[in-house]
Amino acid sequence: MINIRTALGKSPDLETEILLCHVLNKTRVYLFAHPEQLLSQSQWEMFQNLLAQRAQGIPVAYLIGEREFWSLNLKVNQHTLIPRHETERLVELALELIPNQPDIHVLELGTGSGAIALALAKERPHWNIVAADIIQEALSIAKLNAQNHKIQNVSFYLSNWFDNIPQHPYHALVANPPYISEHDPHLYQGDLRFEPRNALVSSQDGLGDLQCIIKQGYEYLLPGGLILLEHGYDQKLQVQTILNELQYKNVTCWQDIQGNDRVSGGWR
Ligand code: GLN
């Protein structure tokens, strides 16, 4: 017997609905419109099986293989970070700060499921976007997501940060790199336990990859080009110091919807 309350996370009702929709292959609207709907024997077994896996801690997004980001339904798996709402703030800022005109070149590093690049590409079909990741399996998912959404203005590169990136000077560089310290206890709680370590954890108290991107990124930006980076709620000062050291101008930090310092950036 599975105790549904302990099997499910902080939003048990929502998680139940999402898992039921997956089993029924229906939308949540359908679920509410058809409260009389019964599960077949095999659907019931599938639901029980999903609950049992959820009870082991496996994130709902991995169980159903998808997560919505910026109104795009994205495939995800254990090779990709699960896209977060906070990261939609980064997308919002990029759309606000990068000129809405043709012939704009944008680079996204550490694309994972492709969330940021695909959201930008969807909103700005005339931009040229380069998206890179070090993990081939993640890149395959990102490409599949591009295909599923018929997005054609993103090119994908297998690259360890800048190692294999076309040298084209960019109008903007955006990233949600790993920024959690290896000592952070959150790594041993909830969904984070199941997400790829290399998408979460960075050296130097979480600042190692941010520093590398800020440093090398300067050479890839056009004069006036924008760098925009997601970081931890308590990393604003450190990230701003690195940006200032590198001579980026108008260094700024923006808050996410919860009021946490979440995105910092500057202009070359
Ligand atoms: N924002 C994520 C979290 O704290 C981590 C993602 C990242 O390190 N870029 O759960």
Side-chain angles (χ1 to χ4, degrees):
M1 256 328 231
I2 299 161
N3 181 332
I4 294 197
R5 286 283 143 190
T6 51
L8 298 168
K10 283 182 197 142
S11 317
D13 293 348
L14 178 64
E15 292 195 357
T16 308
E17 285 161 22
I18 294 173
L19 294 176
L20 275 176
C21 288
H22 180 66
V23 167
L24 291 166
N25 197 20
K26 299 283 189 207
T27 63
R28 282 177 69 213
V29 174
Y30 176 93
L31 216 57
F32 293 120
H34 297 85
E36 78 290 351
Q37 170 85 45
L38 296 174
L39 298 184
S40 69
Q41 182 62 28
S42 68
Q43 287 170 334
W44 173 241
E45 278 162 19
M46 185 178 168
F47 182 60
Q48 293 248 343
N49 186 277
L50 288 169
L51 279 181
Q53 291 184 72
R54 184 67 187 118
Q56 312 269 313
I58 300 175
V60 171
Y62 291 156
L63 290 177
I64 66 168
E66 57 190 34
R67 171 57 49 95
E68 189 173 298
F69 181 85
W70 202 265
S71 301
L72 295 170
N73 215 350
L74 299 177
K75 299 285 174 208
V76 296
N77 66 19
Q78 73 275 20
H79 299 291
T80 68
L81 190 82
I82 301 166
R84 314 274 205 268
H85 284 307
E86 300 95 271
T87 307
E88 292 180 328
R89 181 73 178 121
L90 176 71
V91 171
E92 199 172 72
L93 286 163
L95 293 171
E96 205 175 293
L97 299 170
I98 305 168
N100 182 3
Q101 57 193 48
D103 278 330
I104 291 285
H105 293 263
V106 178
L107 171 60
E108 195 225 340
L109 294 178
T111 195
S113 62
I116 297 172
L118 297 174
L120 294 177
K122 187 85 187 168
E123 297 291 335
R124 301 283 187 263
H126 46 276
W127 286 359
N128 300 295
I129 301 177
V130 166
D133 204 280
I134 190 176
I135 304 296
Q136 179 61 61
E137 289 90 341
L139 218 50
S140 304
I141 292 287
K143 285 181 189 169
L144 178 66
N145 283 325
Q147 247 175 39
N148 288 348
H149 291 284
K150 302 190 171 35
I151 290 171
Q152 289 174 340
N153 53 328
V154 182
S155 5
F156 295 96
Y157 289 82
L158 186 65
S159 178
N160 181 12
W161 299 136
F162 295 91
D163 285 358
N164 186 35
I165 296 296
Q167 267 284 355
H168 207 292
Y170 295 90
H171 296 85
L173 160 55
V174 297
N176 171 22
Y179 53 69
I180 300 178
S181 158
E182 60 184 323
H183 307 296
D184 192 321
H186 290 105
L187 292 169
Y188 307 99
Q189 298 164 17
D191 287 4
L192 267 68
R193 294 170 294 166
F194 297 85
E195 292 184 288
R197 263 310 137 106
N198 64 347
L200 293 171
V201 175
S202 192
S203 62
Q204 299 172 47
D205 253 346
L207 291 164
D209 290 298
L210 282 160
Q211 180 154 30
C212 161
I213 293 169
I214 294 171
K215 235 183 197 159
Q216 290 190 54
Y218 199 84
E219 302 304 322
Y220 283 76
L221 285 172
L222 286 159
L226 168 73
I227 189 167
L228 207 53
L229 300 162
E230 179 173 323
H231 54 71
Y233 71 95
D234 54 356
Q235 291 172 327
K236 167 183 159 174
L237 285 182
Q238 293 98 315
V239 173
Q240 292 204 332
T241 303
I242 305 167
L243 284 163
N244 283 318
E245 274 167 12
L246 268 294
Q247 315 289 326
Y248 285 93
K249 301 186 189 83
N250 299 323
V251 169
T252 309
C253 177
W254 293 269
Q255 282 79 43
D256 62 23
I257 196 165
Q258 271 146 359
N260 290 317
D261 293 329
R262 184 60 64 196
V263 179
S264 285
W267 286 261
R268 172 168 173 170

